[in-house]
Structure formats: structure tokens, C-alpha cells
Amino acid sequence: MSTATDAKTQDCSIIALDKFIQATRDSGYKSTAAALSELVDNSIQAGATRIAIKIAMTDAESGNGIEVSVLDNGCGMDPFTLRQALRFGGSTRFGDRSGLGRYGMGLPNASLSQARRVTVYAWQSIGSDATAATRMTTCGGLAKRVYMSYLDVDKIVQAKMVEIPRPIVVKSAPQECVAPSGTFIRWTHCDRLDNRRVSTIVRKVETELARRFRHYLRKRLKITINGEAIKAFDPLHLYSDAELSGASLFGEELRYEVPVNPSDPKNTGWVKVRFSELPVHEWHKLSNDEKRRFGISRGSGVSIVRAGREVDYGWFFMGGKSRENYDDWWRCEIQFDPVLDEAFGITHTKQQIRPLAHLIEAITPDLEATARELSRRVRRAHQKVKAGDDRCSDSERKASEREHLLRPLPREVSSSAKTLMRDLKKSHPLLRRKHLHSVRRYRIIEAPTKDKSFFSYARDGEQLILVLNPYHPFYRDIYKPLAEGESRRDQQLRASVELLLLAAARSEAAAGSDGATIARQRLEWSHALAAFLNDK
């Protein structure tokens, strides 16, 4: 009899809520940055152009009272959407592949993986919420309805919270709620952050978000952490305005049409792959600290990008090729259509992939072959450096040694040459080392030119920099094959071409007031040369 009574009173709900919440806190987020990325995803999908992250100590005496908040200027949420957003699986866009989220797990799952309480404020433009309560609050001089709801781990465990609280209109909204619409999320009682030092957490989050959301940061999105803007970081080192630039694309972009499932060959999506090659001869002189800071050392890998957002970074689709130190000097990026989520094995946390066999078979052979070729090229480049064959050193040294035979360059430097030198110093740390200036009067650097000339020059004091444009057909068809050639004749021809261009750059620098005319002539010459060399 007692057994029957016990069976009637036994909790047979699908989820044991208190245990589920505690278990889901261990749901596998790799870091605080990974959890915050979920909130950034939601902001982007809500149309936000500005996202402000704040990580601050609130209890200085205890040393562990860190709070984290995320504020955006997206479209905000009405009360129903806000309540659904705090539910596990409660997304209004469940299964939608057009954006960054699909499962409705991001906000509650990410938040409770780091904190014991998450509070969400949301508001929309006046007029978008006509059926809501009439009570309003004033934020930033604008009247708006700011709704609030929350999740609290302790209350759930104590059975004091069994459903998402109905959103209420707050009488005095946080001062952050100043945009016409938006969302403000606050994590409190943070007991699972990566570190107990705010500065360490900020540094790690900035590094991760700069890489994961680089494609968005290059467009309209601005993300700040404690008021400082995050600058996009490209692991392929292809951004010409980066602190360190100079890498070049290797080969053409590879494209693959892959079925979502082998049993349904008509349902397909596209995979796009590109490789970049880092300039060994220019960057090998960087110190070990600089190589670590710029992401060269231990930076080898493949960036997996879904819908413009990086979801994983690691050693993927390389077949039987093992990772070695030479692989630090090239990179790979794979972008894929969200329809291929299952083929890539994307989980709801969007921080790792588990590719299926048919995808691995489709793209691995080409990627492994390319990786092996790049590794061989890097190995040869390092062997040349080790043997003392520093690229461009012969022509740079010869030009420097024979400078005394020529009429001195005018002291006045053109504004364009000064500006270019200033820009080059930002992206080429070696140019900031003053002791190199006394050794070499001339240097040769590869960098895109704004006017698309096949070469330009920069000048600062006694040093003249010849800038070769790696995107001009002259570089692709003539200079690069010579620079990569193994024969002595190739090396001699390369040095001769470099001396020819150094002389042209010097003559332009020596022209004084006539330099602008020569610069126009150089541009016309470059355009004509491109037209003659291009196959199309």
C-alpha cells in the first residue's frame, strides 16, 4: 500500500529541474569568452551595431565579486520574447539557419555556465509595444518601457523558481538603457569565470572575440570591453591595416559542393577554403615575444567559420599530416553554409566541430596536399635564412654600399612618402628598430599600395623603403617566381629587378617638386603593365 502511495507522489516529470540546472552548468563551454560569444551572437542577430561588454570587480574586499554585463543597441524584445529567451530551447527562431543561433540555448546556457544569476533588461522603440502596460520609465531623456526578468540558480535548486518570471516594467531602469531599443544582460554571483583577476579575463576575452567575430568587426559592428574597442584579428594575417601585416594568399580559393547527408545528394551546401602564407624572410627576425604577441608562434591551425563567425580553430582536415613548427608560418580558413551544420557536427554551443566522414573525404585530400606543400616552402625559406641568404639583403646591401656614388637625396621628404612610412611602421615592427637604419639605407618590403601601383616608396630620414605591391600582376608573374626560384640565375635576376626598382624609387625621391609628376607617370605605367600582363 505504501509503495502505491509513493508511486502516486513520485515526481515523474521529464526534467528534474534542480538537478538539470546544476548539470547544465557543466555543459562544456571552453571559456568565459566562449560563453560571452553566445550573447554577442544574439546581439548580432538582433541587428545590433554596438555591443558593450563590461567586466568589473564589485566587491573589492572579498576579491571575487566580479560582475559581467553585455549591452547592445539591437531591436530589443517584447515581454513574450524576453520570457522565451530565458527558457532552455525557448527561442522564437528555433531551427532557423539564417542567423547565428538555432536552438534557443545560448542565453540561459551560456549565462548560467558562468554565473548563478542572470538578469535581462529589454526595451523597444515606442510604438512597437502598443499592447503592453502603459507605465513607462525615462532613460537617457527618452520615455520607453524597459522590461526585466531573470534566472537564479539558487532559487531553482531550492524549488523557489519553477518557471521564468513574468517580465515586469522596471520603475528605474539601469543607466545603460539609453539607446532607442536594445538589451542589457547582467551576470552576478559569477562563480565560474576563467580567472579571478579582471585584467586577465579582459585580456582573454578580447583575444578570443577579436578572432571569432573578425568578419563582423571589419564591417559595421563595434564591440568594446570596459570602454576599449576590440580590433579585428585575422589569424591569416591578410589585413593590410593590422598591427602586423604582410601575409599573402596562397593559390586560388577552393570551393566544394558537399551534400548535407550522403543519402540525400541533392541537398547540398558550399564549403570555401583559402590558405595564406606568412613572410618568413621578413618576420623571422621578430623576437620570440613579438611572435607570440602577434599570434605567429603556436598559431598554426585551421579557422572554421560559420555565417561569418568562427566556431572552432584547430588542426582539421589535414589527413595524415602531423603538426610541426613549420606550420606556424601558414594558415587556413574554411567557411561553410549553415545548411551544412550536421556535416560539420556543429553543437548548440557553436565552439567546436565534429565533421562527418563524407565531409572529411570530400575536402581532406586537397587540404592535406596544400598543407604539405606550404610546409615544404616554409622549410626551404627557413633553410635559406639559416644559411644567411636573407631575402633582398644582396640588393639592399649593394644599394646601401653604393649610395656614396650618388648625389645626396634632398632633406625634404614628400608628404606621401612620410605618410606611407608612418603606416608601414605600424604593421612592420622591424622598421621601428632604430639600429637597423644605420645598417641599411635601403629596404624592400611587400605591402599593398593604395594607388595600386606595382611599386611605391616610403622615406624617413636617411632610410628609403621600396614597397612592392603583392596584388599587382608584375609581382605575381615576374617578381614572385624569381624570389621563390632555387637556381642561382633566378636569384641574380631577382637582385637585378630589385636594384632596377630601387633606382626608380630613388630617382622619384630625388625629384623634389617634380616628384608628383613622376608619381603620376609611375601610376600610368603600373596600370599599363597590369593590362599587358593580365590574361583576362
Side-chain angles (χ1 to χ4, degrees):
M1 186 70 179
S2 60
T3 304
T5 303
D6 291 344
K8 290 181 180 180
T9 60
Q10 185 178 9
D11 182 6
C12 295
S13 58
I14 295 175
I15 295 176
L17 187 57
D18 58 335
K19 296 179 177 62
F20 169 78
I21 287 296
Q22 295 182 75
T24 198
R25 300 193 76 203
D26 299 318
S27 58
Y29 282 99
K30 296 178 180 178
S31 63
T32 298
L36 278 170
S37 294
E38 292 278 12
L39 305 192
V40 174
D41 287 343
N42 292 342
S43 296
I44 292 173
Q45 195 146 4
T49 57
R50 298 191 305 275
I51 302 171
I53 299 171
K54 185 177 180 181
I55 304 172
M57 186 73 70
T58 59
D59 186 354
E61 292 184 2
S62 67
N64 59 7
I66 298 178
E67 288 190 3
V68 179
S69 65
V70 178
L71 170 71
D72 71 47
N73 67 339
C75 63
M77 292 181 280
D78 59 27
F80 172 79
T81 306
L82 171 56
R83 202 176 189 188
Q84 290 298 309
L86 282 165
R87 295 181 64 213
F88 287 85
S91 173
T92 57
R93 297 185 292 261
F94 187 86
D96 180 8
R97 298 176 189 260
S98 62
L100 295 177
R102 280 181 54 197
Y103 299 104
M105 298 287 284
L107 173 56
N109 206 32
S111 299
L112 297 188
S113 76
Q114 305 294 308
R116 302 191 71 81
R117 180 183 172 108
V118 54
T119 306
V120 182
Y121 301 86
W123 63 101
Q124 295 183 313
S125 300
I126 299 300
S128 62
D129 185 15
T131 62
T134 57
R135 184 162 34 129
M136 295 187 186
T137 186
T138 300
C139 301
L142 296 174
K144 58 172 73 73
R145 298 182 185 91
V146 180
Y147 295 94
M148 184 275 291
S149 190
Y150 68 97
L151 276 175
D152 190 299
V153 171
D154 296 320
K155 288 188 176 183
I156 296 172
V157 171
Q158 296 166 12
K160 295 180 180 180
M161 177 183 284
V162 295
E163 65 177 13
I164 307 300
R166 188 179 300 277
I168 62 171
V169 179
V170 294
K171 294 181 179 179
S172 180
Q175 62 182 3
E176 288 85 356
C177 308
V178 295
S181 61
T183 303
F184 179 55
I185 301 171
R186 178 181 286 159
W187 293 347
T188 51
H189 305 295
C190 298
D191 59 342
R192 296 196 174 190
L193 301 176
D194 285 347
N195 199 279
R196 296 180 65 180
R197 292 177 62 89
V198 169
S199 59
T200 303
I201 297 172
V202 168
R203 186 183 71 252
K204 291 182 177 180
V205 169
E206 180 180 9
T207 299
E208 289 294 315
L209 267 57
R211 194 188 71 237
R212 286 182 183 166
F213 295 97
R214 60 185 181 272
H215 293 294
Y216 287 97
L217 290 168
R218 294 285 290 182
K219 297 177 181 177
R220 297 178 62 242
L221 181 64
K222 179 179 180 180
I223 304 177
T224 60
I225 299 184
N226 291 354
E228 295 293 326
I230 295 178
K231 188 175 182 180
F233 173 73
D234 176 22
L236 276 68
H237 293 280
L238 293 172
Y239 295 160
S240 60
D241 58 350
E243 186 178 2
L244 182 69
S245 65
S248 57
L249 286 172
F250 179 75
E252 300 293 330
E253 180 181 82
L254 305 175
R255 295 174 64 89
Y256 305 87
E257 189 173 12
V258 180
V260 174
N261 191 305
S263 62
D264 184 12
K266 293 184 178 180
N267 185 18
T268 63
W270 285 96
V271 177
K272 297 183 291 185
V273 184
R274 59 179 184 159
F275 288 85
S276 70
E277 189 173 17
L278 278 55
V280 173
H281 293 278
E282 288 187 21
W283 293 0
H284 81 279
K285 297 177 185 175
L286 296 173
S287 68
N288 290 333
D289 287 341
E290 287 173 321
K291 289 175 182 175
R292 282 192 293 270
R293 183 164 70 87
F294 291 124
I296 300 172
S297 298
R298 300 179 182 178
S300 61
V302 180
S303 174
I304 310 295
V305 178
R306 174 194 185 270
R309 191 264 219 202
E310 183 181 277
V311 294
D312 207 347
Y313 193 94
W315 196 248
F316 304 111
F317 305 106
M318 292 292 110
K321 187 191 180 321
S322 58
R323 181 156 34 183
E324 53 187 325
N325 290 338
Y326 291 124
D327 296 320
D328 283 345
W329 292 88
W330 60 267
R331 299 288 191 274
C332 178
E333 179 186 79
I334 299 176
Q335 297 200 38
F336 69 94
D337 295 337
V339 71
L340 293 173
D341 280 353
E342 285 78 9
F344 275 86
I346 296 293
T347 65
H348 70 273
T349 61
K350 299 189 296 293
Q351 59 178 336
Q352 59 186 340
I353 64 168
R354 296 187 181 91
L356 299 183
H358 76 282
L359 174 64
I360 295 174
E361 293 171 2
I363 69 175
T364 293
D366 288 343
L367 271 61
E368 180 183 357
T370 304
R372 291 186 182 279
E373 172 60 23
L374 280 164
S375 187
R376 283 192 292 268
R377 289 165 62 90
V378 171
R379 186 181 293 105
R380 288 197 299 267
H382 277 285
Q383 288 171 349
K384 288 184 179 181
V385 168
K386 190 174 182 180
D389 182 17
D390 184 9
R391 182 175 176 180
C392 301
S393 62
D394 287 345
S395 51
E396 289 172 348
R397 187 181 303 110
K398 184 175 290 186
S400 298
E401 290 173 351
R402 301 190 179 183
E403 172 68 12
H404 70 282
L405 301 175
L406 303 172
R407 179 167 54 89
L409 290 173
R411 291 183 177 274
E412 184 178 354
V413 180
S414 70
S415 59
S416 61
K418 284 183 180 179
T419 300
L420 182 54
M421 178 64 85
R422 185 172 62 248
D423 293 341
L424 288 174
K425 284 184 176 180
K426 292 178 182 178
S427 56
H428 291 73
L430 288 173
L431 294 180
R432 300 197 288 267
R433 297 181 179 177
K434 294 184 179 180
H435 70 276
L436 289 177
H437 294 194
S438 60
V439 178
R440 293 182 185 173
R441 302 286 295 276
Y442 296 91
R443 289 188 65 84
I444 301 175
I445 284 177
E446 298 168 11
T449 55
K450 292 182 179 180
D451 62 3
K452 298 183 180 179
S453 297
F454 75 88
F455 80 92
S456 186
Y457 82 95
R459 192 174 161 219
D460 182 12
E462 298 299 320
Q463 191 177 45
L464 186 144
I465 309 295
L466 171 66
V467 183
L468 299 179
N469 181 4
Y471 298 112
H472 193 279
F474 172 84
Y475 180 94
R476 178 195 67 207
D477 297 341
I478 299 174
Y479 181 79
K480 189 176 181 180
L482 291 176
E484 294 175 351
E486 299 289 338
S487 70
R488 181 174 179 80
R489 178 172 175 76
D490 283 340
Q491 299 308 308
Q492 290 174 337
L493 286 173
R494 184 202 71 191
S496 297
V497 169
E498 289 168 355
L499 289 171
L500 171 70
L501 297 178
L502 281 169
R506 191 189 190 284
S507 66
E508 186 175 332
S513 59
D514 294 329
T517 302
I518 297 178
R520 288 193 295 271
Q521 177 64 24
R522 168 169 50 81
L523 183 58
E524 289 295 327
W525 182 20
S526 297
H527 289 169
L529 184 59
F532 293 160
L533 290 176
N534 272 327
D535 295 331
K536 298 180 180 178

Short mmCIF file of all heavy atoms in Angstrom, two decimals, residues 29 31-44 51 53 70 100-101 106-107 110 114 187 204-205 208-213 223 309-311 349-351:
data_model
loop_
_atom_site.label_atom_id
_atom_site.label_comp_id
_atom_site.label_asym_id
_atom_site.label_seq_id
_atom_site.Cartn_x
_atom_site.Cartn_y
_atom_site.Cartn_z
N TYR A 29 31.22 24.73 -22.09
CA TYR A 29 31.84 25.94 -22.63
C TYR A 29 33.32 25.95 -22.28
O TYR A 29 33.70 25.74 -21.13
CB TYR A 29 31.15 27.20 -22.08
CG TYR A 29 29.83 27.47 -22.76
CD1 TYR A 29 28.63 27.09 -22.18
CD2 TYR A 29 29.79 28.08 -24.01
CE1 TYR A 29 27.42 27.31 -22.81
CE2 TYR A 29 28.59 28.30 -24.66
CZ TYR A 29 27.41 27.91 -24.05
OH TYR A 29 26.22 28.13 -24.69
N SER A 31 35.43 28.38 -22.26
CA SER A 31 35.97 29.57 -21.60
C SER A 31 34.86 30.59 -21.38
O SER A 31 33.76 30.48 -21.92
CB SER A 31 37.07 30.19 -22.47
OG SER A 31 36.52 30.63 -23.72
N THR A 32 35.19 31.61 -20.59
CA THR A 32 34.27 32.73 -20.42
C THR A 32 34.04 33.43 -21.75
O THR A 32 32.92 33.86 -22.06
CB THR A 32 34.85 33.72 -19.39
OG1 THR A 32 34.98 33.07 -18.12
CG2 THR A 32 33.94 34.93 -19.23
N ALA A 33 35.08 33.51 -22.58
CA ALA A 33 34.94 34.14 -23.89
C ALA A 33 33.95 33.37 -24.76
O ALA A 33 33.16 33.96 -25.50
CB ALA A 33 36.29 34.22 -24.59
N ALA A 34 33.98 32.03 -24.67
CA ALA A 34 33.04 31.23 -25.46
C ALA A 34 31.61 31.48 -25.02
O ALA A 34 30.69 31.56 -25.84
CB ALA A 34 33.39 29.75 -25.32
N ALA A 35 31.40 31.60 -23.70
CA ALA A 35 30.05 31.88 -23.20
C ALA A 35 29.59 33.27 -23.61
O ALA A 35 28.45 33.47 -24.04
CB ALA A 35 30.03 31.74 -21.67
N LEU A 36 30.47 34.26 -23.50
CA LEU A 36 30.11 35.62 -23.92
C LEU A 36 29.83 35.69 -25.42
O LEU A 36 29.00 36.49 -25.86
CB LEU A 36 31.23 36.59 -23.56
CG LEU A 36 31.24 37.09 -22.11
CD1 LEU A 36 32.54 37.85 -21.82
CD2 LEU A 36 30.04 37.97 -21.83
N SER A 37 30.48 34.83 -26.19
CA SER A 37 30.26 34.82 -27.64
C SER A 37 28.80 34.50 -27.96
O SER A 37 28.25 34.98 -28.96
CB SER A 37 31.18 33.80 -28.31
OG SER A 37 32.53 34.18 -28.19
N GLU A 38 28.16 33.68 -27.13
CA GLU A 38 26.74 33.37 -27.34
C GLU A 38 25.90 34.63 -27.24
O GLU A 38 24.96 34.83 -28.02
CB GLU A 38 26.28 32.35 -26.30
CG GLU A 38 26.88 30.97 -26.46
CD GLU A 38 26.16 30.13 -27.51
OE1 GLU A 38 25.35 30.69 -28.27
OE2 GLU A 38 26.41 28.92 -27.56
N LEU A 39 26.21 35.48 -26.28
CA LEU A 39 25.45 36.72 -26.12
C LEU A 39 25.73 37.68 -27.28
O LEU A 39 24.83 38.40 -27.73
CB LEU A 39 25.79 37.39 -24.78
CG LEU A 39 25.62 36.53 -23.52
CD1 LEU A 39 25.72 37.40 -22.27
CD2 LEU A 39 24.31 35.76 -23.53
N VAL A 40 26.97 37.70 -27.74
CA VAL A 40 27.30 38.52 -28.90
C VAL A 40 26.53 38.03 -30.12
O VAL A 40 26.02 38.82 -30.92
CB VAL A 40 28.83 38.51 -29.16
CG1 VAL A 40 29.16 39.24 -30.46
CG2 VAL A 40 29.57 39.15 -27.99
N ASP A 41 26.43 36.70 -30.28
CA ASP A 41 25.64 36.13 -31.38
C ASP A 41 24.21 36.67 -31.35
O ASP A 41 23.65 37.08 -32.37
CB ASP A 41 25.59 34.60 -31.26
CG ASP A 41 26.90 33.93 -31.63
OD1 ASP A 41 27.73 34.59 -32.28
OD2 ASP A 41 27.08 32.76 -31.27
N ASN A 42 23.60 36.64 -30.15
CA ASN A 42 22.23 37.11 -30.02
C ASN A 42 22.10 38.58 -30.39
O ASN A 42 21.14 39.00 -31.04
CB ASN A 42 21.73 36.90 -28.59
CG ASN A 42 21.57 35.43 -28.24
OD1 ASN A 42 21.51 34.57 -29.12
ND2 ASN A 42 21.51 35.12 -26.96
N SER A 43 23.08 39.38 -29.97
CA SER A 43 23.05 40.81 -30.28
C SER A 43 23.16 41.06 -31.78
O SER A 43 22.44 41.89 -32.34
CB SER A 43 24.19 41.52 -29.54
OG SER A 43 24.04 41.45 -28.14
N ILE A 44 24.05 40.32 -32.43
CA ILE A 44 24.21 40.47 -33.88
C ILE A 44 22.91 40.09 -34.58
O ILE A 44 22.46 40.78 -35.50
CB ILE A 44 25.38 39.62 -34.38
CG1 ILE A 44 26.71 40.17 -33.85
CG2 ILE A 44 25.40 39.55 -35.91
CD1 ILE A 44 27.90 39.29 -34.16
N ILE A 51 28.05 46.81 -29.28
CA ILE A 51 27.94 45.89 -28.15
C ILE A 51 28.99 46.29 -27.13
O ILE A 51 30.18 46.35 -27.45
CB ILE A 51 28.16 44.42 -28.59
CG1 ILE A 51 27.15 44.02 -29.66
CG2 ILE A 51 28.07 43.49 -27.39
CD1 ILE A 51 27.44 42.67 -30.30
N ILE A 53 30.68 45.34 -23.59
CA ILE A 53 30.89 44.34 -22.55
C ILE A 53 31.62 45.01 -21.39
O ILE A 53 32.58 45.76 -21.59
CB ILE A 53 31.72 43.16 -23.08
CG1 ILE A 53 30.98 42.48 -24.24
CG2 ILE A 53 32.02 42.15 -21.98
CD1 ILE A 53 31.81 41.44 -24.97
N VAL A 70 26.52 42.74 -20.64
CA VAL A 70 26.57 42.92 -22.10
C VAL A 70 25.40 43.81 -22.50
O VAL A 70 24.24 43.48 -22.23
CB VAL A 70 26.48 41.56 -22.84
CG1 VAL A 70 26.50 41.78 -24.35
CG2 VAL A 70 27.63 40.65 -22.43
N LEU A 100 22.91 33.36 -36.54
CA LEU A 100 23.96 32.69 -35.79
C LEU A 100 23.42 31.67 -34.80
O LEU A 100 24.13 30.77 -34.37
CB LEU A 100 24.79 33.74 -35.04
CG LEU A 100 25.57 34.70 -35.93
CD1 LEU A 100 26.29 35.73 -35.09
CD2 LEU A 100 26.56 33.96 -36.81
N GLY A 101 22.15 31.81 -34.38
CA GLY A 101 21.59 30.89 -33.40
C GLY A 101 20.53 29.99 -34.01
O GLY A 101 19.90 30.35 -35.00
N GLY A 106 21.41 29.52 -26.08
CA GLY A 106 22.56 30.39 -25.86
C GLY A 106 22.48 31.25 -24.62
O GLY A 106 23.37 31.20 -23.76
N LEU A 107 21.43 32.06 -24.48
CA LEU A 107 21.35 32.99 -23.36
C LEU A 107 21.34 32.28 -22.00
O LEU A 107 22.20 32.55 -21.16
CB LEU A 107 20.14 33.90 -23.52
CG LEU A 107 19.82 34.83 -22.34
CD1 LEU A 107 21.02 35.69 -22.00
CD2 LEU A 107 18.61 35.70 -22.66
N ALA A 110 24.69 29.74 -21.64
CA ALA A 110 25.97 30.45 -21.51
C ALA A 110 26.03 31.22 -20.20
O ALA A 110 27.06 31.22 -19.51
CB ALA A 110 26.16 31.39 -22.69
N GLN A 114 28.50 30.47 -16.21
CA GLN A 114 29.48 31.38 -15.63
C GLN A 114 28.99 32.02 -14.33
O GLN A 114 29.80 32.44 -13.50
CB GLN A 114 29.82 32.50 -16.63
CG GLN A 114 30.29 32.03 -17.98
CD GLN A 114 31.62 31.32 -17.94
OE1 GLN A 114 32.59 31.83 -17.39
NE2 GLN A 114 31.67 30.12 -18.51
N TRP A 187 25.37 39.45 -15.50
CA TRP A 187 25.70 38.24 -14.76
C TRP A 187 26.18 38.64 -13.37
O TRP A 187 27.14 39.42 -13.24
CB TRP A 187 26.82 37.45 -15.43
CG TRP A 187 26.48 36.86 -16.77
CD1 TRP A 187 25.25 36.74 -17.33
CD2 TRP A 187 27.40 36.28 -17.71
NE1 TRP A 187 25.33 36.13 -18.55
CE2 TRP A 187 26.65 35.84 -18.81
CE3 TRP A 187 28.77 36.09 -17.71
CZ2 TRP A 187 27.24 35.23 -19.91
CZ3 TRP A 187 29.38 35.49 -18.81
CH2 TRP A 187 28.61 35.05 -19.90
N LYS A 204 41.86 37.78 -22.10
CA LYS A 204 41.48 36.55 -22.79
C LYS A 204 40.23 36.75 -23.63
O LYS A 204 40.15 36.26 -24.77
CB LYS A 204 41.28 35.43 -21.78
CG LYS A 204 42.56 34.96 -21.10
CD LYS A 204 42.27 33.81 -20.14
CE LYS A 204 43.55 33.29 -19.50
NZ LYS A 204 43.27 32.17 -18.56
N VAL A 205 39.24 37.44 -23.09
CA VAL A 205 38.01 37.68 -23.83
C VAL A 205 38.28 38.52 -25.07
O VAL A 205 37.77 38.23 -26.17
CB VAL A 205 36.95 38.36 -22.93
CG1 VAL A 205 35.77 38.86 -23.76
CG2 VAL A 205 36.47 37.39 -21.86
N GLU A 208 39.96 36.38 -27.81
CA GLU A 208 39.06 35.41 -28.44
C GLU A 208 38.02 36.10 -29.32
O GLU A 208 37.78 35.67 -30.45
CB GLU A 208 38.36 34.58 -27.36
CG GLU A 208 39.27 33.60 -26.65
CD GLU A 208 39.76 32.50 -27.58
OE1 GLU A 208 38.96 31.94 -28.35
OE2 GLU A 208 40.97 32.23 -27.56
N LEU A 209 37.40 37.15 -28.82
CA LEU A 209 36.34 37.82 -29.59
C LEU A 209 36.91 38.53 -30.82
O LEU A 209 36.24 38.60 -31.86
CB LEU A 209 35.59 38.81 -28.71
CG LEU A 209 34.32 38.27 -28.02
CD1 LEU A 209 34.63 37.06 -27.18
CD2 LEU A 209 33.66 39.36 -27.19
N ALA A 210 38.12 39.04 -30.72
CA ALA A 210 38.74 39.71 -31.87
C ALA A 210 38.92 38.76 -33.04
O ALA A 210 38.82 39.16 -34.20
CB ALA A 210 40.09 40.30 -31.46
N ARG A 211 39.19 37.49 -32.74
CA ARG A 211 39.35 36.49 -33.80
C ARG A 211 38.00 35.92 -34.24
O ARG A 211 37.73 35.81 -35.42
CB ARG A 211 40.25 35.36 -33.31
CG ARG A 211 40.76 34.45 -34.43
CD ARG A 211 41.49 33.23 -33.90
NE ARG A 211 40.58 32.29 -33.26
CZ ARG A 211 40.70 31.88 -31.99
NH1 ARG A 211 41.67 32.32 -31.23
NH2 ARG A 211 39.83 31.02 -31.49
N ARG A 212 37.14 35.57 -33.28
CA ARG A 212 35.88 34.91 -33.62
C ARG A 212 34.95 35.80 -34.45
O ARG A 212 34.27 35.32 -35.36
CB ARG A 212 35.14 34.50 -32.35
CG ARG A 212 35.77 33.30 -31.67
CD ARG A 212 35.00 32.90 -30.46
NE ARG A 212 35.68 31.78 -29.79
CZ ARG A 212 35.40 31.38 -28.57
NH1 ARG A 212 34.46 31.99 -27.88
NH2 ARG A 212 36.04 30.36 -28.03
N PHE A 213 34.92 37.09 -34.14
CA PHE A 213 33.98 37.98 -34.81
C PHE A 213 34.69 38.95 -35.76
O PHE A 213 34.18 40.03 -36.05
CB PHE A 213 33.17 38.75 -33.77
CG PHE A 213 32.27 37.87 -32.94
CD1 PHE A 213 32.69 37.42 -31.69
CD2 PHE A 213 31.05 37.45 -33.42
CE1 PHE A 213 31.88 36.59 -30.93
CE2 PHE A 213 30.22 36.61 -32.66
CZ PHE A 213 30.65 36.19 -31.42
N ILE A 223 32.51 46.35 -30.97
CA ILE A 223 32.44 45.71 -29.66
C ILE A 223 33.48 46.38 -28.77
O ILE A 223 34.64 46.55 -29.16
CB ILE A 223 32.73 44.20 -29.73
CG1 ILE A 223 31.77 43.51 -30.69
CG2 ILE A 223 32.63 43.57 -28.35
CD1 ILE A 223 32.04 42.01 -30.86
N ARG A 309 31.12 33.82 -38.55
CA ARG A 309 31.56 33.74 -37.16
C ARG A 309 32.39 32.49 -36.97
O ARG A 309 31.98 31.39 -37.36
CB ARG A 309 30.33 33.72 -36.26
CG ARG A 309 30.62 33.90 -34.77
CD ARG A 309 30.71 32.57 -34.08
NE ARG A 309 30.10 32.62 -32.76
CZ ARG A 309 30.36 31.79 -31.77
NH1 ARG A 309 31.25 30.81 -31.95
NH2 ARG A 309 29.74 31.87 -30.62
N GLU A 310 33.59 32.63 -36.40
CA GLU A 310 34.43 31.46 -36.17
C GLU A 310 33.82 30.58 -35.08
O GLU A 310 33.46 31.05 -34.01
CB GLU A 310 35.84 31.89 -35.75
CG GLU A 310 36.80 30.71 -35.58
CD GLU A 310 38.18 31.14 -35.14
OE1 GLU A 310 38.98 31.53 -36.00
OE2 GLU A 310 38.44 31.11 -33.92
N VAL A 311 33.72 29.28 -35.39
CA VAL A 311 33.16 28.34 -34.42
C VAL A 311 34.22 27.39 -33.85
O VAL A 311 33.97 26.73 -32.84
CB VAL A 311 32.00 27.53 -35.03
CG1 VAL A 311 30.82 28.42 -35.33
CG2 VAL A 311 32.44 26.78 -36.28
N THR A 349 26.45 24.89 -28.69
CA THR A 349 27.37 25.87 -28.11
C THR A 349 28.23 26.56 -29.15
O THR A 349 28.91 27.54 -28.85
CB THR A 349 28.29 25.20 -27.07
OG1 THR A 349 29.07 24.19 -27.72
CG2 THR A 349 27.49 24.59 -25.94
N LYS A 350 28.24 26.06 -30.37
CA LYS A 350 28.96 26.68 -31.51
C LYS A 350 30.43 26.98 -31.18
O LYS A 350 30.94 28.06 -31.47
CB LYS A 350 28.25 27.96 -31.96
CG LYS A 350 26.83 27.75 -32.42
CD LYS A 350 26.25 28.99 -33.07
CE LYS A 350 26.12 30.15 -32.10
NZ LYS A 350 25.12 29.90 -31.05
N GLN A 351 31.11 26.03 -30.56
CA GLN A 351 32.51 26.27 -30.23
C GLN A 351 33.41 25.11 -30.63
O GLN A 351 34.59 25.12 -30.31
CB GLN A 351 32.65 26.56 -28.74
CG GLN A 351 32.15 25.44 -27.85
CD GLN A 351 32.34 25.72 -26.38
OE1 GLN A 351 33.19 26.51 -25.99
NE2 GLN A 351 31.54 25.08 -25.55
#
